[in-house]
């Protein structure tokens, strides 16, 4: 589990999502909600084969949702991308 959420929006991470996060392919929970992360969700999300909870809500993400996210359909139980400008 990796919980880097920023519940009170007082501080938090800015910039793009670190490429190093996608190396943790055994993560079951990845929570980056409430930060000021910008850019897009990388295609390497498809490598997170056991991910069950993925929360990127309340960030500044834009562009598109990668089709590789569909590769997680068998394991993903909760996906929250609310309050971004994804298409």
């Amino acid at each position: 589990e990796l919980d880097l959420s920023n519940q009170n929006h007082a501080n938090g991470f800015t910039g793009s999502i670190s490429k190093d996060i996608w190396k943790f392919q055994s993560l079951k929970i990845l929570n980056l909600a409430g930060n000021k992360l910008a850019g897009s969700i990388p295609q390497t999300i498809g490598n997170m084969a056991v991910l069950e909870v993925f929360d990127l809500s309340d960030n500044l993400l834009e562009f598109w949702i990668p089709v590789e996210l569909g590769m997680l359909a068998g394991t993903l139980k909760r996906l929250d991308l609310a309050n971004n400008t994804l298409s």
Side-chain angles (χ1 to χ4, degrees), residues 5-6 10 12-13 15-16 19 24-26 32 35 39 58 61 63-64 66 69 72 77 79-81 85 87:
S5 61
N6 184 25
F13 295 102
S16 61
K19 293 179 182 178
F24 298 106
Q25 296 178 6
S26 61
L32 298 169
N35 288 288
D58 299 310
L61 297 172
F63 304 114
W64 59 88
L69 193 57
L72 306 179
K77 296 176 182 172
L79 172 64
D80 193 345
L81 302 174
T85 54
S87 58

Side-chain angles (χ1 to χ4, degrees), residues 2-26:
L2 183 58
D3 187 346
L4 298 174
S5 61
N6 184 25
Q7 300 299 326
N8 60 9
H9 302 284
N11 296 305
F13 295 102
T14 60
S16 61
I17 301 171
S18 172
K19 293 179 182 178
D20 291 330
I21 287 179
W22 311 113
K23 294 178 182 176
F24 298 106
Q25 296 178 6
S26 61

Side-chain angles (χ1 to χ4, degrees), residues 17 24-25 29-30 33 36 38 56 61 65 67 74 85-86:
I17 301 171
F24 298 106
Q25 296 178 6
I29 299 172
L30 179 56
K36 295 176 184 169
L56 279 171
L61 297 172
I65 299 171
V67 296
T85 54
L86 295 164

